[in-house]
Amino acid sequence: MAWTDVVVLGAGVVGVSVALHLRAHGLSVALLDRGSPGEGTSFGNAGVIEGSALLPVGFPRDIPVLLRHALKLSSESNYQLAALPGLAPWILSYFNASSARGLAATARDLRPLLDVARAEHHALAGPAGAMGLLSPTGWVKLYRTARQFAKTATERALADELKVAYSVLDTEAACALEPALRPVFEAAIHWHDCDNCSDPGGLVKAYAALLEQRGGLLLQGDARTLRRQSGGWRVETASGPVDAEEAVVCLGPWSLEVLRPLGLPLPLAPKRGYHVHLAPEGGMTLGRALVDVAYGYALQNTRYGIRLTTGVEFAGLEARSSPVQIHRDVPHARELLPLGAVREAEPWLGRRPAFPDSKPVIGPAPGIGGLHLAFGHGHWGLTLGPVTGRLLAEMMTGATPFIDPAPFAPGRFGLRAAQRI
């Protein structure tokens, strides 16, 4: 049996970052996952570290748009009918939080984290020898019609207010920035404060290797074995039981599998997404990520090829794969760029952990002493992993948090554990 100050459950970008920051504060740390670091949700994202991120992806509130999504006429979203009854309360809360005022409030709450997100990545990537995986070239959103671009007025006004840098580009300027682009769009916005990552899973593995170099333990085991033990916590691993004074849940979409038995059913749901890699033709490459706003997918240059990452699918956590969005998006991507064959036999399926208000939980679990939470980052898990680690480590060690953590408090949903443990 081993003992450590803290056991961190989940070796995605958030969990690895939390463990690294706790080590930096002098605590002994064991990081546990059922697999290897960086092979879950962190592996399959769009590879964008978005310091310039603003408005979260909201639930449509315009009736014609809602009907288009409901009738599955848009590749921006998909749903599996069997999942809707169970997801209905979450979707209703998500809809209510997606008003213009609600989205702007969330953007302001997240801005202090996003302002330093890239710097916190660099503080880990440098010592990890992983800066070569990052390119500070920003990313570009493409608008196929002038009408689509006109809808960005609110986002641009908020960017001006919060001093988030961007450039509006016409078709010619966007094609000069990305010469492989075909002029099938009317306008673009280049968001400058962004790093593009050519291998998100590799980045997380580099951070995990840094953790080991700094004395952290990497262990394999089942996080669902977590239980109270002698005033602390015990979890079973392949190397035997590990006891810890404190535990941190960073399991992304699987976090509730640990929390429900402890009487804490937080309103978390998976926003599923898919990716494939396409072969670039004629030596084509991208200097930065692109988003085809009309269809809700992203394109990124990675070591595996040009990664196409879809919008959202509403389905159960372990429901069957239904990559209809991939089949719709690939032809649109080929309109934009010279892209060849899809390199995977089957699309990769990931699960973005999301709360209805599009903010993560970062802080102590309500009513459960010695347990801390860091998950629910939605579309911004890769972006916010290191800065989440910094904030939570400061809270856990009694240091002064660099920002007010109140907007991310797990208790904001009005839930407490069924019984204090």
Side-chain angles (χ1 to χ4, degrees):
M1 181 175 64
W3 184 92
T4 186
D5 290 324
V6 186
V7 60
V8 179
L9 307 178
V13 65
V14 176
V16 173
S17 299
V18 168
L20 274 166
H21 279 279
L22 290 170
R23 279 297 299 141
H25 282 268
L27 299 181
S28 58
V29 180
L31 177 65
L32 179 133
D33 200 287
R34 60 188 176 187
S36 298
E39 293 187 354
T41 303
S42 294
F43 169 80
N45 57 71
V48 184
I49 298 171
E50 302 178 56
S52 58
L54 275 169
L55 295 172
V57 177
F59 197 90
R61 295 172 71 90
D62 180 82
I63 296 300
V65 175
L66 269 173
L67 285 174
R68 191 168 71 249
H69 285 268
L71 296 172
K72 298 192 175 187
L73 299 177
S74 171
S75 63
E76 295 172 80
S77 72
N78 188 39
Y79 62 88
Q80 294 187 24
L81 191 60
L84 293 187
L87 288 173
W90 184 92
I91 290 174
L92 179 59
S93 296
Y94 183 30
F95 176 85
N96 289 336
S98 295
S99 67
R101 179 178 295 181
L103 294 177
T106 295
R108 292 186 176 91
D109 285 343
L110 287 167
R111 179 48 30 198
L113 291 178
L114 291 164
D115 274 338
V116 297
R118 291 179 62 210
E120 292 299 328
H121 264 283
H122 296 175
L124 299 184
M131 285 299 291
L133 298 177
L134 304 178
S135 300
T137 49
W139 69 321
V140 173
K141 292 185 177 182
L142 304 171
Y143 301 88
R144 297 215 178 204
T145 68
R147 183 178 180 183
Q148 288 171 355
F149 175 74
K151 293 179 179 179
T152 68
T154 298
E155 185 177 24
R156 286 181 283 124
L158 187 62
D160 294 338
E161 174 194 332
L162 298 177
K163 296 180 172 55
V164 176
Y166 67 94
S167 299
V168 174
L169 308 176
D170 60 17
T171 307
E172 182 179 0
C175 290
L177 191 65
E178 287 292 345
L181 273 173
R182 295 173 176 141
V184 295
F185 57 94
E186 294 291 326
I189 300 178
H190 182 197
W191 297 94
H192 301 295
D193 188 14
C194 165
D195 283 308
N196 294 278
C197 182
S198 61
D199 185 359
L203 184 68
V204 178
K205 288 182 183 299
Y207 292 172
L210 179 64
L211 174 65
E212 285 193 293
Q213 293 169 20
R214 293 179 172 179
L217 296 177
L218 294 184
L219 302 172
Q220 285 196 325
D222 188 343
R224 293 172 297 184
T225 63
L226 183 72
R227 64 184 186 276
R228 274 294 195 190
Q229 182 73 22
S230 302
W233 298 93
R234 172 170 289 183
V235 66
E236 302 297 329
T237 81
S239 304
V242 172
D243 287 352
E245 185 174 344
E246 297 181 276
V248 186
V249 177
C250 305
L251 293 163
W254 293 277
S255 295
L256 296 190
E257 294 187 9
V258 169
L259 296 179
R260 282 196 190 101
L262 299 176
L264 196 63
L266 289 167
L268 186 77
K271 296 171 76 175
R272 301 192 347 161
Y274 298 81
H275 84 224
V276 293
H277 297 95
L278 293 98
E281 293 187 338
M284 183 273 291
T285 188
L286 290 176
R288 57 200 46 80
L290 305 175
V291 177
D292 190 350
V293 173
Y295 303 106
Y297 67 88
L299 296 166
Q300 175 70 281
N301 194 66
T302 76
R303 57 175 292 204
Y304 307 100
I306 303 299
R307 177 175 292 185
L308 185 156
T309 307
T310 71
V312 173
E313 179 188 51
F314 296 104
L317 186 63
E318 302 297 346
R320 61 177 174 81
S321 175
S322 56
V324 61
Q325 291 159 286
I326 288 287
H327 302 315
R328 290 180 173 178
D329 289 340
V330 166
H332 296 308
R334 288 181 175 141
E335 294 170 358
L336 285 174
L337 297 168
L339 298 171
V342 173
R343 289 179 163 170
E344 291 88 359
E346 294 292 334
W348 183 88
L349 167 61
R351 301 153 180 89
R352 308 171 181 103
F355 288 103
D357 61 2
S358 299
K359 295 185 294 188
V361 294
I362 306 171
I368 306 178
L371 187 67
H372 308 267
L373 311 181
F375 59 88
H377 295 77
H379 297 260
W380 294 325
L382 179 66
T383 296
L384 294 176
V387 71
T388 294
R390 174 184 172 183
L391 178 60
L392 185 62
E394 289 171 348
M395 296 170 70
M396 290 177 62
T397 59
T400 301
F402 78 100
I403 64 165
D404 180 5
F408 315 108
R412 70 183 186 268
F413 299 107
L415 296 175
R416 298 187 67 80
Q419 56 181 358
R420 296 187 67 88
I421 61 174

